[in-house]
Amino acid sequence: MTLEDEGPAASNGPEEESPAQVRSRDVAAMRESIEQKLYYQVGKNRIAANNRDWYVSTALAVRDRVVDGWHRSTDTTYASGAKRVYYLSLEFLIGRQLRDNLSNLGLYETVRAALEELGVDFDAIRAMEPDAALGNGGLGRLAACYLESMSSLKIPAIGYGIRYDHGLFRQIVKNGFQQEYPEDWLELGNPWQFERPEITFVIGFGGAVEMVSENDSLVEHVWHPAERVSAIAYDIPIVGWRGRHVNALRLWSARAVDPIRLDAFNLGDHVGAISERARVEAISRVLYPSDETPAGQELRLRQEYFFAAASLQDLIRRHLKSFKTIESLPDKAAIQLNDTHPSIAVIELMRILVDVHKVGWEEAWSITRRTFCYTNHTLLPEALETWPVPLMERLLPRHMQIIYLLNLMFLDEVKHKYPDDVSLMTSLSLVDETHGRRVRMGNIAFLGSHSINGVSALHTDLMRRTVFRDFNAMFPDRINNKTNGITFRRWLYQSNPGLTALLVETVGPEILDDANQFAKLASFADDAAFQDRFAAVKQENKQALARLVRERLGVRLDPQAMFDVQIKRIHEYKRQLLNILETIALYNAIRAQPMRDWIPRVKIFAGKAAPSYRRAKLIIKLAHDVSRVINSDPTLRDALKVVFLPNYNVSLAEVVIPAADLSEQISTAGMEASGTGNMKFALNGALTIGTLDGANVEMLERVGSDNIFIFGMTTEEVEARRRQTIDSSDVIERSSVLQEVLTAVENGNFSPDDPGRYRDLIEAIRYHDYFMVAADFDAYYQRQREVASTWRRGADWRRSAVLNTAGMGFFSSDRSIREYASELWNVPTWPNR
């Protein structure tokens, strides 16, 4: 499929060039550009060049075209005085960029043809690009989708984050156990980035606050940090669809102000001379350092303040350059906090306004509130960060003073409105006094923002009723919903070109620009010929995934089998364990009745567990143990296979998602805020088996109950059962299938080398079933049998697959960003900008 730029052919002399001539000229120009980059910037000739050299040369040639659009976009923004959006996120899971930029610029076929003329394999050089290791999962991938949509909708915006040297760890699985290694994505450089050494801000930590008084009525606070760290800017351009607009992702790298202590070095302490540099620069080394130790907690807080402070200094510098006065900040800047991690920015902006720009307290608080918006992504307590007060007082003493004063004024307001409600004040306080005095960052983000949004209808409702219930009572109009979305450019047009070509041919090319056009596919759902073509594309994608699995794991998969996929971060609430237990139950059933006509099925898992999350890592080990037993059992005759793909990342997802037949979205109801993997799978024609959790609820509404497999307890039922008991021993006694599975795991049938390996895991399911694994097992098992029955009715399955793709138009990230823009940020979007 060709997605070249649309527009009139260029004129060359008195006669217009034909499309073939234009294409030939464009290919020749690109080929020359790539060769020049190879010769002058990589420093190689064609004979000596390897695939890595060709990748860098191609990226640099394409980058030149990106920069042209980037300058035009920036010039237009400055000339118009447009309001800018600043998106603060600790994660940006942008993945590989070569194909993304080529597709959005309409240069994919041009570059492929130019490389072919040079005798270079495009797919081979594309594989040379590492995945940018800047995110963990859905949060970071959402941020990347939203940045791309802002560019596609011509919203002037800048994403702010950290340029992690290693980012999230590289997952290696040895003997079934996850091991973590540094992800060296920057080892050979990044051709897409621009270092901005002239844009450097000094970030302070520690020290003391001096009170300076010129008269009795005016007291100024002067923070004297004990430590200073330099934040160096690196920019990565983010190209919008059809090159309409280019925004920037600005990432901060930590550098020591003094790179070496010469006195120590000259005295022979060569290691000690650079030890301080190593400590300072650890801030931008790794994403999510373990916070199990006090040192780990301090590093995490330093990271969050470092990038928030640098970002605010940068955006205020830009604002004052264009608009001169700080008071107009809310009119010309919208700052979106992507989850709780950047919420210290609320306090930092107050410090800058009051201490640096001498704005009065009340006006500073008004400016702050009108500038910030806050997106909450989870109801899990550990995600609503809290920091020990002593740590905050030591690391950010001025910020702690501001927090105390804000808290005092806010609680006075609460007391005035609810004079006798002490428990309400305890709940709303910015400082938790009940668990060793901790600063509640979620409360700060809520209080300091004019808009707080959830990311699915269910999640937003739960926010109002649970974690922010009391804040919602105080500010009933502040919480709103913005259901997540995904960029179709990445997750369909690039990842699944075969299906994209079919959709363009069937519906028309307008489907590439307007997600509402996907609804037109519904009229083809009963067309047998279209079903067959739709299924043929899926089959090609499954063959590609089977080749990848064969290459990486040495396991042969039958592409005719159902590909049943669960790829996501490993966490107990996401319930990979439930899936594994059902897999064992299916294994037992097939062995018990080997002559039945079983539907061949491949269970595919992928995902990383946090290094300190021992139970999640044990679940990975169980998946491998189960895989080893099942895949080596000849009596199954390929009726069931299990694979775990290591080092899950964006590039792997781009291969797995288009090949999936069944999408596992089986989180405990009420615990997944939204999910975006569910949208990606359905967009690519997979059917979903899932709970009424997150965006599954809205997907059910869009695709219809006949085309999605919903099972299990609702959120209300989960809450009710937890209030009653989380002991599931009675449930297990009533389920002979589950009893057999748990006994087999508990007795070491899948771990003969260590029979007791999973006893604690099974004990937790029996007596501490907080995530409702046992409670939902029978419903899940039964629904899986209905999945198999539907698969056997091929026409029905294909019809549902088409309707899933047809129903996904609502879940475009363009729709999400339009809602943010019009309802929260007050900025126009393309095509009306």
Side-chain angles (χ1 to χ4, degrees):
M1 180 193 62
T2 301
L3 301 180
E4 299 296 312
D5 279 335
E6 296 176 353
S11 176
N12 184 16
E15 295 184 5
E16 285 193 353
E17 292 178 295
S18 68
Q21 289 173 316
V22 173
R23 172 176 166 76
S24 177
R25 176 170 51 78
D26 290 345
V27 170
M30 181 60 72
R31 184 184 67 240
E32 180 182 2
S33 180
I34 293 172
E35 286 185 288
Q36 287 183 346
K37 297 299 181 185
L38 178 70
Y39 192 81
Y40 289 106
Q41 291 188 251
V42 177
K44 294 280 189 76
N45 58 31
R46 290 177 60 178
I47 295 175
N50 57 31
N51 282 338
R52 169 73 192 181
D53 300 326
W54 283 114
Y55 158 67
V56 173
S57 303
T58 303
L60 292 174
V62 174
R63 195 181 75 168
D64 286 351
R65 277 73 172 173
V66 172
V67 169
D68 289 338
W70 194 7
H71 287 322
R72 287 194 299 270
S73 300
T74 302
D75 291 345
T76 299
T77 299
Y78 274 109
S80 65
K83 186 176 185 178
R84 272 194 170 103
V85 174
Y86 299 99
Y87 198 84
L88 272 62
S89 178
L90 207 57
E91 299 183 41
F92 286 96
L93 198 57
I94 56 178
R96 292 171 173 169
Q97 290 187 274
L98 177 58
R99 191 172 65 174
D100 201 31
N101 288 338
L102 289 177
S103 178
N104 281 8
L105 289 172
L107 293 173
Y108 183 82
E109 297 296 340
T110 298
V111 169
R112 181 180 279 276
L115 289 169
E116 186 176 337
E117 290 184 5
L118 290 167
V120 178
D121 183 346
F122 173 82
D123 294 324
I125 71 157
R126 181 180 172 270
M128 295 294 102
E129 180 177 8
D131 275 57
L134 299 169
N136 180 31
L139 180 77
R141 187 53 229 168
L142 180 80
C145 285
Y146 279 4
L147 279 189
E148 195 269 1
S149 277
M150 286 183 236
S151 291
S152 295
L153 297 176
K154 300 181 71 171
I155 298 173
I158 294 179
Y160 281 118
I162 295 178
R163 181 181 177 267
Y164 302 103
D165 294 343
H166 301 293
L168 193 66
F169 62 87
R170 177 166 50 96
Q171 182 192 53
I172 301 292
V173 179
K174 293 185 178 180
N175 192 30
F177 290 100
Q178 172 182 294
Q179 297 183 13
E180 302 90 25
Y181 292 86
E183 184 67 88
D184 296 324
W185 73 286
L186 290 172
E187 182 180 16
L188 299 176
N190 178 9
W192 300 109
Q193 75 180 8
F194 292 83
E195 184 176 4
R196 307 294 193 194
E198 75 282 6
I199 301 177
T200 300
F201 297 101
V202 176
I203 311 301
F205 293 98
V209 180
E210 178 187 6
M211 290 188 291
V212 179
S213 176
E214 294 186 1
N215 55 62
D216 293 338
S217 62
L218 181 63
V219 176
E220 294 183 359
H221 293 78
V222 180
W223 179 25
H224 299 287
E227 177 186 5
R228 297 179 185 273
V229 180
S230 292
I232 313 295
Y234 288 79
D235 287 348
I236 298 175
I238 305 297
V239 183
W241 180 235
R242 301 198 187 279
R244 293 188 191 113
H245 188 87
V246 181
N247 284 316
L249 170 58
R250 175 156 288 180
L251 303 173
W252 301 105
S253 185
R255 295 291 183 269
V257 174
D258 297 314
I260 187 170
R261 286 182 52 209
L262 280 177
D263 57 342
F265 191 87
N266 291 331
L267 289 173
D269 186 7
H270 302 147
V271 174
I274 59 173
S275 61
E276 180 62 16
R277 174 183 177 181
R279 191 184 74 84
V280 165
E281 296 182 1
I283 290 174
S284 57
R285 287 277 187 244
V286 176
L287 170 67
Y288 294 145
S290 174
D291 58 0
E292 285 194 318
T293 65
Q297 290 181 22
E298 178 175 333
L299 179 56
R300 181 80 70 90
L301 179 56
R302 285 163 66 90
Q303 281 186 332
E304 294 180 3
Y305 176 66
F306 166 81
F307 108 86
S311 303
L312 284 176
Q313 289 187 57
D314 189 50
L315 72 87
I316 289 174
R317 172 195 60 83
R318 185 179 297 104
H319 174 80
L320 292 176
K321 178 181 177 181
S322 296
F323 306 110
K324 311 306 178 189
T325 172
I326 195 71
E327 284 76 14
S328 62
L329 186 66
D331 302 320
K332 293 298 182 179
I335 303 176
Q336 188 73 40
L337 303 175
N338 190 33
D339 215 5
T340 315
H341 310 120
S343 56
I344 191 64
V346 171
I347 308 303
E348 172 67 1
L349 182 56
M350 283 294 290
R351 186 192 70 82
I352 292 172
L353 292 172
V354 173
D355 293 356
V356 179
H357 293 277
K358 313 305 179 186
V359 178
W361 182 271
E362 293 295 337
E363 185 178 6
W365 187 232
S366 174
I367 291 172
T368 298
R369 271 188 164 177
R370 289 185 291 129
T371 301
F372 278 107
C373 303
Y374 163 51
T375 299
N376 173 273
H377 282 279
T378 179
L379 306 177
L380 296 177
E382 61 265 28
L384 292 174
E385 291 179 317
T386 63
W387 298 112
V389 167
L391 174 62
M392 287 283 288
E393 289 178 330
R394 176 170 57 83
L395 208 61
L396 301 171
R398 176 57 179 148
H399 299 74
M400 201 61 235
Q401 289 180 343
I402 294 171
I403 290 169
Y404 281 137
L405 184 53
L406 281 175
N407 199 39
L408 177 64
M409 298 175 69
F410 175 50
L411 293 183
D412 280 345
E413 181 183 345
V414 175
K415 186 176 181 180
H416 178 75
K417 191 172 182 178
Y418 302 97
D420 300 318
D421 198 335
V422 176
S423 63
L424 180 64
M425 286 192 287
T426 300
S427 169
L428 293 176
S429 175
L430 304 185
V431 180
D432 183 357
E433 303 284 354
T434 62
H435 297 93
R437 300 191 69 227
R438 300 179 70 90
V439 179
R440 294 164 161 163
M441 303 311 292
N443 287 18
I444 288 173
F446 194 110
L447 189 64
S449 302
H450 68 269
S451 169
I452 292 84
N453 69 277
V455 291
S456 73
L458 174 62
H459 171 238
T460 301
D461 178 62
L462 289 172
M463 280 174 57
R464 293 189 178 108
R465 293 194 288 113
T466 59
V467 292
F468 291 128
R469 179 192 61 192
D470 293 332
F471 270 101
N472 187 52
M474 279 290 295
F475 308 102
D477 299 325
R478 199 169 289 188
I479 296 179
N480 61 90
N481 179 57
K482 299 290 174 285
T483 297
N484 282 346
I486 58 173
T487 171
F488 289 12
R489 271 82 62 177
R490 167 78 74 157
W491 294 108
L492 180 62
Y493 307 164
Q494 295 171 44
S495 302
N496 200 342
L499 180 56
T500 304
L502 177 60
L503 301 185
V504 169
E505 179 185 339
T506 305
V507 174
E510 58 271 16
I511 199 172
L512 299 175
D513 293 280
D514 181 5
N516 293 322
Q517 300 295 316
F518 277 79
K520 293 181 178 179
L521 283 174
S523 62
F524 296 90
D526 293 304
D527 184 324
F530 181 78
Q531 284 185 9
D532 290 342
R533 296 179 68 190
F534 194 94
V537 171
K538 177 69 71 175
Q539 198 62 26
E540 290 179 4
N541 294 330
K542 293 171 70 174
Q543 290 168 357
L545 177 56
R547 287 192 296 271
L548 182 146
V549 170
R550 174 66 174 165
E551 292 167 2
R552 297 192 181 182
L553 301 179
V555 178
R556 294 183 182 275
L557 302 183
D558 178 8
Q560 299 296 327
M562 180 199 301
F563 281 14
D564 179 346
V565 180
Q566 188 175 22
I567 51 173
K568 54 183 73 237
R569 178 167 54 94
I570 309 298
H571 197 291
E572 288 174 277
Y573 89 81
K574 293 179 184 289
R575 297 203 296 191
Q576 286 91 353
L577 184 54
L578 176 61
N579 191 351
I580 295 168
L581 296 179
E582 192 275 335
T583 302
I584 297 171
L586 178 58
Y587 171 58
N588 290 340
I590 295 173
R591 287 197 304 164
Q593 297 178 293
M595 302 312 295
R596 276 187 57 185
D597 184 19
W598 295 98
I599 295 294
R601 188 186 297 238
V602 178
K603 290 273 193 171
I604 299 171
F605 297 88
K608 297 178 181 180
S612 60
Y613 196 169
R614 295 180 181 85
R615 186 164 289 175
K617 296 172 84 168
L618 191 61
I619 290 171
I620 292 176
K621 175 58 176 171
L622 178 59
H624 280 84
D625 281 348
V626 171
S627 171
R628 175 181 48 78
V629 170
I630 289 177
N631 294 348
S632 62
D633 190 335
T635 67
L636 297 184
R637 293 180 294 182
D638 290 338
L640 182 62
K641 287 283 183 72
V642 181
V643 294
F644 186 101
L645 287 163
N647 204 37
Y648 177 54
N649 57 21
V650 174
S651 295
L652 180 59
E654 289 173 342
V655 180
V656 175
I657 289 172
D661 295 305
L662 185 67
S663 163
E664 299 268 356
Q665 308 297 330
I666 58 176
S667 54
T668 310
M671 300 199 72
E672 185 72 86
S674 168
T676 54
N678 46 5
M679 305 168 192
K680 296 162 193 168
F681 281 107
L683 178 65
N684 282 274
L687 275 62
T688 299
I689 182 168
T691 50
L692 283 173
D693 196 26
N696 289 355
V697 177
E698 289 156 279
M699 285 176 57
L700 169 64
E701 297 170 357
R702 302 285 169 174
V703 304
S705 59
D706 292 338
N707 305 300
I708 187 171
F709 300 98
I710 298 296
F711 75 93
M713 290 185 285
T714 65
T715 301
E716 293 75 18
E717 290 168 339
V718 168
E719 292 172 351
R721 179 165 179 83
R722 281 176 178 162
R723 286 193 297 268
Q724 180 184 7
T725 182
I726 56 172
D727 185 323
S728 283
S729 53
D730 59 331
V731 174
I732 295 168
E733 287 178 7
R734 294 194 297 269
S735 173
S736 59
V737 174
L738 181 56
Q739 276 192 62
E740 183 181 8
V741 170
L742 295 182
T743 300
V745 175
E746 194 171 32
N747 289 345
N749 292 18
F750 296 93
S751 55
D753 58 317
D754 182 5
R757 179 180 296 145
Y758 301 113
R759 282 176 187 159
D760 288 346
L761 194 64
I762 302 306
E763 283 288 298
I765 295 174
R766 290 184 190 280
Y767 304 115
H768 303 280
D769 191 22
Y770 183 80
F771 298 101
M772 304 293 145
V773 172
D776 265 349
F777 177 85
D778 279 358
Y780 177 57
Y781 184 78
Q782 180 57 39
R783 203 64 165 132
Q784 283 283 21
R785 308 290 70 77
E786 295 169 23
V787 167
S789 177
T790 306
W791 176 265
R792 193 179 296 278
R793 302 191 306 274
D796 289 346
W797 187 279
R798 292 190 293 272
R799 178 180 186 275
S800 291
V802 173
L803 289 173
N804 267 266
T805 299
M808 286 300 107
F810 172 80
F811 297 101
S812 165
S813 55
D814 291 355
R815 185 270 313 158
S816 301
I817 290 300
R818 288 187 194 278
E819 292 180 2
Y820 277 96
S822 63
E823 299 172 23
L824 306 187
W825 303 333
N826 191 29
V827 295
T829 60
W830 180 88
N832 299 318
R833 172 170 282 284

